[in-house]
Each structure stands twice: as C-alpha cells, then as structure tokens.
Amino acid sequence: MYTNYTEEMLESMKNVAAKRESNAAMEPRRMTAEEKDNLLAAFHPDYKASEFAELKIGPNKGEKVPVELASLLQGKSRIEDTEIDLSSPDYDADVLVIGGGGAGSSAAIEAHQAGAKVLMVTKLRIGDANTMMAEGGIQAADKPNDSPAQHYLDAFGGGHFAAKPELLRKLVTEAPDAILWLNRLGVEFDKEPDGTMITTHGGGTSRKRMHAAKDYSGAEIMRTLRDEVLNRGIPVVDFTAAIELILDRDGKAAGAVLLNMETKEIRIARAKTVVLATGGAGRLHYQGFPTSNHYGATADGLVLAYRAGAKLLYADTLQYHPTGAAFPEQIYGALVTEKVRSLGAKLVNRNGEVFMHPLETRDVCAASIIRECGERNNGLATPGGKGLWLDTPMIEFKNGAGTIEKRIPAMMRMFGKYGIDIRKEPILVYPTLHYQNGGIDITADGMSGIQNLFVAGEAVGGIHGRNRLMGNSLLDIIVFGRNAGVRAAAAAKTASAAPLSLEHVKAFAAMRRDAGLDGAELSPRLLPHYTHGNPRAENVLR
C-alpha cells in the first residue's frame, strides 16, 4: 500500500471497502434532463460567468470566451514589429499541414495519397499531441445491433443538441470506414480470437461501440499514423511553430510564418492550401484547473485563424474530464480513462456512498463530482485541492481477477509507479481540463471562413456541440483529418498563385489599438507559463 495516504484517506478507504459488495450490485438511476440542466448551471465551470470575457475585436466581437483565451485572441502578433520578407520562401508546398498529431498526420497521409506535395510543420515533434495521450477508445457504429443513426442520436443529445448537423452526420457515417482504414494501416485493436473487434460502452452511449487498443488507444493510433507519414517520406519540420498565417492578395490562405523553437529564426512557408491541425488549449489552465493535455496545447490554431478573419464556434465551452488523477500530486491532473468506469468502477464519496451513475455524460459527471466535493462536503483533501474515490477494485470484484491488467494496463502502471495497486486500492480523482469543445467554424468539406484554410481535429468547433462523448475525439481526428487532406489536395490543383500578404496582421494591430488593447500579451503563446508570477500556474502547481 502507498505510504503517503493521510489518516483521513485511510479511514475513508475502509468505508469504501466495506460497501464495495453492495455498491457493485447497485445501479444508480440516471438523472432527468431537468436535473442535469440544473446541475450544470450550478456547478459546471462553463457556467461561471466571472471566468469569461467579452471579445472587443475580431469576427466574434461581442461574444464571451474564457478570460485566458480572450487575452490571446486579442493579443499582439509576434511579428507585429518585425519586417518579414515574403519574396523568397524557405519552403514551398501544395499542402502545408500545421500540427503533428492525429489530425495533421491523417491529413498529410491523404493529401500525399492524392498526389500533392505535402509539408508538415509541428511545434514539438510529430506525435507530441493529445492524440498520443488519449486512452479509452474510438467510437464507430459497425456492429449488427448499432447504426450511424443511433450514434448520431447519442452524440447529438450528449452535446446538448448544439452540434452542426452536417459535421456530426459526417462524423458518424464515416466512422466505420475510419476504423477499417486504421486497421489496414496496422492499428492493433482489441479483438476476439476470431478477429471480431471487442467493443465497450462509454458515457452517454446506448450501444457498445468503443473500439480500443487496451488503454493505449491514442498512442497506438498515433504510432501507426506517424510511421505511415515517415514511411511515405513526407517532410516533417519539427520544433517549428506557426506564428502567423499568410494570406494571398485575394484573402486566401497561402502559407505561414514559422518560428524555429530552438534558434528563434523566422522561416516562410508558401503553400497553395493550408491545413490547420494544432489541437487544444488545456495548457492554458482555464480557471486554474489541472490538465490532461500535452505540453504544447495552447490554442495556437484558434489565435492564428481568428487574426486572419476566421470565425470561431462555441469557444466558450470546454470539457473537464470528470476523472483526472487527484492523488498522488506527481500525477495531478493526469487522465484516468473513462474505460475504467465502463469496466465497472464506480464513483464513491468519502463515506463509501455511490452518488451518481458512473456513465453519465462527461459534463454531468464532472459537475456532480464538483458538487459532491464542494457543496455537499463529501470529498477528501488532497495536496492539489480535493478529490473522491473511483473504486477500481470493483472491476475485478465484478469481472474476475486479471481484468485490470488485461484491459487497462496503462492505468495499473501509472499508479503502480507510486506504490498504488489499483486492483486492491481505489484511486482519488477530480475533474481535469481535457478538451476544447469549441474552435474554428468549418463547413462539411473542412474549410474555414478563409478560402483554402482547412481545419481538422480539436481546433474545430461544432462537431460535438457543447459537450463531447468519449471516443468521438479520436474519431474526429481521423474523419476530419482525412477529409481535410483530400479536400486540400484537390483545392491545391486549381489554386492561383497570387502575391503573398500579411496585411491582415497590420489590420488586426490597428483594431487592437482602436479598442485600447495595446497592453495585451504576445500571441500565440506557444508554450505554457509556469512561473510564480502567474497565479493560474501557482494554483495548478501548488
């Protein structure tokens, strides 16, 4: 047993163990729609008005977004005071892919398959992305008792009926083919001895449609995509961030200004079309929450697209995954996959009581935990704040010995490093900032409001509405990544070669001055701020 448990934790663990048998047999009822609405309004971070600011300039002027994001969207361009020579580009491509995660890799592969000359640039290394950190699985309605229509209904309801229908329709109807594509590329999905794919439930799903590779699903998918990119010989410029989009004289996307993260040298990439696949925003630590995101998740794509004139959709909505590790503090905020609950673990308060159905949608589940630890005072104190139990031993109590090691070995290993055996001891969890529900508004062909600027992955808004179901993010990076690659390659064939321009940067700077925003910070941020002068960081790292 882990030796650093507090006396309060040890006493509470006895309560959990004493009630495990009765809790395992108990099936809590699901909340009514009215109960969910009331719960979210009172406890979900998206409803905390003081944490949002109204945008003063740009395509979404007058709308509210998180205060940290507002500062970046209205921030000062990193090249505002720099003379940039666009006459002799350092790189030239048909399709420029910005971002090296699952969406960017899928786009690069399909664009290359279509015959385009592709260049991928990525702020860190190819594969350093939230894709790599995803655990639980990828949804697809490909079993006889399921259908894309049922998948659509689950996702549409789970997203509070706010998804753009044409985007969600594309997501669910192309999901089975996405699984086949990944399988053919070599992803090692969990399968029965006869080759049938093993599927499980996720929160908010009415059918077992979660395909997984144990609890390394994202890492396995990213491994496969990365290998395909490299095997095709697609050039990848890593440790190079896009700090400004380049438009042509006609206002079409035509490349990017790049910054070498090591030497700080500026480089110019010219392209006929651009795919923006820069991922999420977890490392902005909205409202001081910890995050499950990789180090480079700082909303770069939203900033670049917004400054160039692209409209955002649902930028006020984030997903706080209900089960981030709350203890020990070395892994504070790390993702505890929803698959743990789909295998039978239940959320239990300090008294050993099950207080909610374990597979409610993520926003409802997160709000329930925040309420239980706050208003109801049924949580436990941890070095990072508060937490409550996810009763992992219940999995083997219900399914037999060996289930955890077979189905969620990454979880077992993560906690095992600190002397916690999740087969015998419950784990403490609390919501962690996990996913950027909102992003750049696109049409079904993947194009933003800027011609020849395509967007894929977590930088997109509207696919999931105002909440995302488990397994639909790994799905959307494949469906919309492939889509962006195909469409960008096709558009590149007829793209005209108009002169390059950064006039939109000057125009945005003028809007900032007129709105009195001269003091805003440099943006995009590129890497998170972890300094004692940043109160948000202090809250995260205490």
Side-chain angles (χ1 to χ4, degrees):
M1 177 177 282
Y2 186 55
T3 56
N4 288 347
Y5 286 123
T6 65
E7 287 298 321
E8 181 188 32
M9 292 175 187
L10 291 170
E11 192 62 33
S12 180
M13 287 172 72
K14 293 177 183 177
N15 294 334
V16 176
K19 296 181 180 179
R20 184 165 294 132
E21 183 173 357
S22 59
N23 283 341
M26 174 186 175
E27 185 67 20
R29 71 172 180 83
R30 291 187 180 270
M31 297 182 195
T32 66
E34 183 179 7
E35 287 173 329
K36 291 178 183 180
D37 288 344
N38 291 339
L39 173 72
L40 292 171
F43 297 99
H44 194 277
D46 279 355
Y47 293 77
K48 197 170 182 179
S50 62
E51 296 290 342
F52 294 82
E54 185 176 301
L55 293 171
K56 296 181 179 179
I57 58 174
N60 293 79
K61 180 180 178 180
E63 297 181 17
K64 291 190 174 182
V65 299
V67 292
E68 297 89 345
L69 182 59
S71 177
L72 294 174
L73 291 176
Q74 301 176 139
K76 180 179 179 180
S77 170
R78 289 178 174 271
I79 66 168
E80 187 173 310
D81 300 321
T82 306
E83 281 295 321
I84 302 294
D85 181 9
L86 299 177
S87 63
S88 301
D90 301 279
Y91 305 100
D92 224 322
D94 295 331
V95 179
L96 171 65
V97 177
I98 302 173
S105 297
S106 297
I109 291 165
E110 290 289 22
H112 186 266
Q113 180 67 26
K117 179 183 178 183
V118 180
L119 175 69
M120 177 184 283
V121 297
T122 180
K123 182 166 60 176
L124 299 175
R125 301 165 300 178
I126 182 172
D128 287 340
N130 284 344
T131 303
M132 192 74 181
M133 305 174 78
E135 297 168 349
I138 174 171
Q139 285 202 50
D142 57 2
K143 291 291 181 72
N145 69 333
D146 202 358
S147 69
Q150 190 61 49
H151 188 177
Y152 183 100
L153 291 173
D154 288 346
F156 198 47
H160 301 287
F161 308 98
K164 291 184 72 171
E166 63 271 29
L167 300 187
L168 184 55
R169 186 181 304 114
K170 186 176 188 68
L171 181 77
V172 301
T173 56
E174 297 185 15
D177 186 62
I179 296 293
L180 285 175
W181 186 71
L182 290 172
N183 192 53
R184 288 169 183 156
L185 286 178
V187 172
E188 296 285 349
F189 286 111
D190 295 339
K191 298 176 182 178
E192 301 286 3
D194 66 357
T196 302
M197 289 202 186
I198 296 171
T199 53
T200 59
H201 271 300
T205 61
S206 60
R207 299 289 188 275
K208 292 182 178 181
R209 68 173 72 96
M210 203 69 56
H211 302 65
K214 296 184 169 55
D215 55 349
Y216 297 104
S217 301
E220 172 61 11
I221 289 171
M222 191 67 246
R223 174 197 67 80
T224 305
L225 295 175
R226 180 181 57 215
D227 286 353
E228 184 68 13
V229 168
L230 298 179
N231 289 341
R232 284 174 172 267
I234 297 170
V236 179
V237 184
D238 53 16
F239 296 111
T240 300
I243 56 172
E244 208 66 70
L245 291 175
I246 297 172
L247 306 181
D248 66 16
R249 187 177 54 193
D250 301 324
K252 301 174 184 177
V257 179
L258 309 175
L259 174 71
N260 184 296
M261 297 290 285
E262 297 175 304
T263 66
K264 307 305 179 186
E265 293 174 288
I266 296 289
R267 293 287 182 264
I268 301 301
R270 179 172 59 190
K272 296 175 182 177
T273 60
V274 178
V275 175
L276 202 55
T278 50
R283 288 289 167 172
L284 298 182
H285 292 290
Y286 296 128
Q287 301 188 37
F289 271 81
T291 187
S292 62
N293 284 191
H294 81 106
Y295 194 62
T298 50
D300 296 358
L302 272 60
V303 173
L304 299 183
Y306 192 74
R307 192 144 57 219
K311 190 173 178 62
L312 306 182
L313 182 64
Y314 303 145
D316 59 326
T317 64
L318 288 303
Q319 182 165 89
Y320 297 82
H321 195 291
T323 56
F327 185 81
E329 59 187 315
Q330 295 95 325
I331 53 172
Y332 183 47
L335 182 64
V336 176
T337 172
E338 195 166 305
K339 190 173 182 180
V340 176
R341 285 176 284 138
S342 72
L343 290 173
K346 291 182 180 176
L347 290 158
V348 180
N349 65 25
R350 63 182 297 163
N351 304 314
E353 301 161 341
V354 174
F355 59 92
M356 62 166 292
H357 193 286
L359 291 179
E360 293 282 10
T361 56
R362 286 179 171 178
D363 54 352
V364 170
C365 194
S368 296
I369 292 171
I370 292 170
R371 176 178 64 182
E372 196 72 15
C373 289
E375 181 183 85
R376 294 181 175 177
N377 198 29
N378 285 328
L380 290 155
T382 69
K386 292 182 179 180
L388 44 71
W389 300 111
L390 182 57
D391 192 9
T392 49
M394 190 179 287
I395 294 172
E396 302 210 333
F397 181 87
K398 296 170 71 173
N399 301 296
T403 302
I404 286 176
E405 186 171 8
K406 180 180 179 181
R407 302 295 297 278
I408 48 172
M411 285 296 98
M412 186 173 136
R413 184 172 293 110
M414 181 171 75
F415 283 91
K417 288 179 181 178
Y418 304 99
I420 297 173
D421 187 345
I422 67 172
R423 297 169 297 185
K424 301 175 181 177
E425 304 164 53
I427 55 179
L428 283 163
V429 297
Y430 193 78
T432 184
L433 186 53
H434 183 60
Y435 190 82
Q436 179 179 269
N437 285 326
I440 301 161
D441 195 6
I442 64 169
T443 53
D445 65 357
M447 194 183 292
S448 70
I450 299 169
Q451 192 167 347
N452 291 345
L453 178 63
F454 297 84
V455 191
E458 199 170 342
V460 173
I463 299 173
H464 310 288
R466 292 184 168 272
N467 181 59
R468 177 180 63 78
L469 299 188
M470 170 192 179
N472 279 347
S473 59
L474 282 178
L475 177 59
D476 88 48
I477 64 172
I478 304 302
V479 169
F480 286 91
R482 295 179 70 195
N483 176 64
V486 170
R487 300 287 186 164
K493 293 178 180 179
T494 58
S496 58
L500 303 183
S501 171
L502 288 170
E503 285 303 310
H504 66 283
V505 179
K506 296 178 182 178
F508 197 85
M511 283 194 289
R512 289 181 62 250
R513 287 192 295 272
D514 291 345
L517 294 170
D518 288 343
E521 69 173 292
L522 285 176
S523 70
R525 182 172 291 177
L526 301 183
L527 295 175
H529 291 166
Y530 290 126
T531 66
H532 290 298
N534 180 349
R536 297 286 176 152
E538 286 178 3
N539 189 31
V540 170
L541 299 177
R542 67 187 176 204

